[in-house]
Amino acid sequence: LAAIAFGSRIDFAAVETAGIARILAADIAQADSLGYVIRLIGMAEEDKTGDAPRLFQRVQPHLVPFDHPLAHVDGATNAVVAEGNYSGRLLFQGAGAGDGPTASAVVADLIDIARGDIGAPFSVPVAELESLAPAATGHRMGSAYIRMTVADRPGVLAEIAAAMRDAGVSIESLIQKGRSESQGVLLAIVPHEGPESAVTEALRLLEGSPSLTAPPLVMQILSD
């Protein structure tokens, strides 16, 4: 999709990836209480802030606002949202998995080949695709959902708040739940909008702290 949208060569190694294995039922409930659903989002953006354009690509679970079109994509349905300078937001939605949709796509391709109706797979010949360097993510502005499992003892919140302060992260909301299955306390933090690098720095400052009983989980919040 990034190759089609931006005429760029495919570079799988440049795609930031994270799966859904670490998401808990508590994260889903917490997202719901905050006005979001959790969706696995593939995202690509062209960054033209430097001397040469760069391409940002990410596949990670995100918190999606209830009123965003991707919040209502369920089951085997897939959806693609494209944002154009003049076209605005475009939504393409349809069956994305299952025996019927897959067979239909394969047969359609075979019919095109049999008819000799073969075009460039990325709208232009592969040899003409441009190699775009990966874009740095630290400067990207946004908010995130940060879930920590922490020890149930005095001073933990103060330590976390100090790390956030030192990294320049401003906390918008902080929700503390009871003990989880791992006998830790679940702590959910949503910072105000800021650079992603600030959250990364805050977690670096907390790395190795005995206050954290499990690695933190960070999910970006998809903007409207």
Side-chain angles (χ1 to χ4, degrees):
L1 289 175
I4 293 172
F6 304 108
S8 61
R9 288 184 179 273
I10 293 176
D11 184 3
F12 291 116
V15 182
E16 296 183 6
T17 59
I20 62 174
R22 296 184 56 218
I23 297 175
L24 305 175
D27 297 317
I28 298 174
Q30 200 67 264
D32 181 74
S33 68
L34 293 168
Y36 302 96
V37 295
I38 297 175
R39 292 288 184 268
L40 186 64
I41 302 293
M43 181 186 301
E45 295 176 349
E46 191 175 28
D47 182 1
K48 296 183 178 180
T49 57
D51 296 333
R54 293 174 175 267
L55 188 61
F56 165 75
Q57 299 178 90
R58 169 183 284 165
V59 179
Q60 292 179 356
H62 286 65
L63 267 66
V64 181
F66 286 155
D67 58 356
H68 194 283
L70 293 181
H72 307 286
V73 180
D74 296 307
T77 303
N78 285 354
V80 176
V81 173
E83 298 277 356
N85 290 340
Y86 303 104
S87 64
R89 176 178 290 173
L90 304 174
L91 174 66
F92 308 89
Q93 183 172 329
D99 50 1
T102 303
S104 175
V106 171
V107 171
D109 288 343
L110 292 175
I111 292 174
D112 287 343
I113 294 172
R115 289 174 172 174
D117 186 12
I118 304 172
F122 302 107
S123 300
V124 297
V126 173
E128 296 180 15
L129 294 175
E130 184 180 2
S131 294
L132 298 180
T137 61
H139 69 279
R140 297 189 77 250
M141 300 294 291
S143 187
Y145 167 88
I146 308 166
R147 186 253 293 155
M148 301 180 183
T149 306
V150 302
D152 188 9
R153 60 176 177 80
V156 171
L157 285 180
E159 180 183 354
I160 293 173
M164 295 288 176
R165 177 204 63 206
D166 294 344
V169 177
S170 175
I171 298 175
E172 179 178 346
S173 64
L174 185 151
I175 305 171
Q176 180 176 325
K177 294 292 185 180
R179 289 181 177 272
S180 66
E181 297 86 349
S182 59
Q183 298 303 308
V185 175
L186 291 182
L187 188 68
I189 299 174
V190 177
H192 287 284
E193 182 175 295
E196 291 186 14
S197 58
V199 172
T200 302
E201 174 62 12
L203 297 182
R204 187 194 67 80
L205 294 174
L206 290 168
E207 191 174 348
S209 170
S211 296
L212 273 61
T213 61
L217 171 71
V218 179
M219 289 187 286
Q220 299 299 321
I221 297 177
L222 194 66
S223 62
D224 293 334

